[in-house]
Amino acid sequence: MDHATLQAALPEYFAPWVQALGLTVESHAEGAVTLRLPQSDQLSRVGGMLCGQAMMAAADTAMVLALIRHFGAFRPCTTVQMNTSFLKPLSGQDALIEARVIRAGKSLAFGEIDIRGAEDGKSACRATTTYALL
């Protein structure tokens, strides 16, 4: 699986409003993908803080790409559970969303996501996910 294939999955498998987030594939490894979410006034709240809804959408998207990387191809799936903890505000910088597949079986997949500042490297959000593989 190469970088271009993962980047091409964004317009192929995700709704237009998810594409409007401007996510790009930063890096990938076996069962893991890191996306960049550019800082934007449209995704920010008062004080320039990245809103939680954008972080959760980016986390969910990154995990689907991590599953594509893990399986070597897209497999239809749906989010069953996402547990999200917001650790600190993320302001004035892009976000890096690192998603990693912890375990993928025949019908369920489990993952962890870390969202951190692209400049300071500090974690702003952590999430765990469960997906049903369809």
Side-chain angles (χ1 to χ4, degrees), residues 8-128:
L10 289 166
E12 186 170 352
Y13 299 113
F14 296 95
W17 71 267
V18 175
Q19 295 173 47
L21 294 172
L23 295 166
T24 57
V25 177
E26 188 81 4
S27 65
H28 59 91
E30 185 63 36
V33 169
T34 300
L35 301 181
R36 179 177 289 265
L37 175 62
Q39 192 280 330
S40 152
D41 289 342
Q42 296 215 336
L43 301 178
S44 297
R45 304 175 11 156
V46 174
M49 294 182 291
L50 179 62
C51 70
Q53 296 92 333
M55 285 191 259
M56 291 180 73
D60 192 53
T61 303
M63 186 52 67
V64 172
L65 290 178
L67 288 168
I68 290 171
R69 178 66 166 84
H70 175 81
F71 289 117
F74 175 75
R75 284 190 60 186
C77 60
T78 188
T79 309
V80 172
Q81 177 271 338
M82 178 183 274
N83 184 17
T84 308
S85 297
F86 298 98
L87 308 175
K88 70 178 224 55
L90 184 61
S91 299
Q93 60 184 313
D94 291 356
L96 294 177
I97 301 93
E98 182 179 358
R100 185 169 57 96
V101 176
I102 301 301
R103 182 180 187 286
K106 292 180 182 182
S107 60
L108 292 175
F110 304 89
E112 294 179 336
I113 300 123
D114 180 41
I115 300 177
R116 63 187 184 278
E119 292 177 24
D120 66 14
K122 294 181 179 177
S123 287
C125 178
R126 299 277 302 177
T128 57

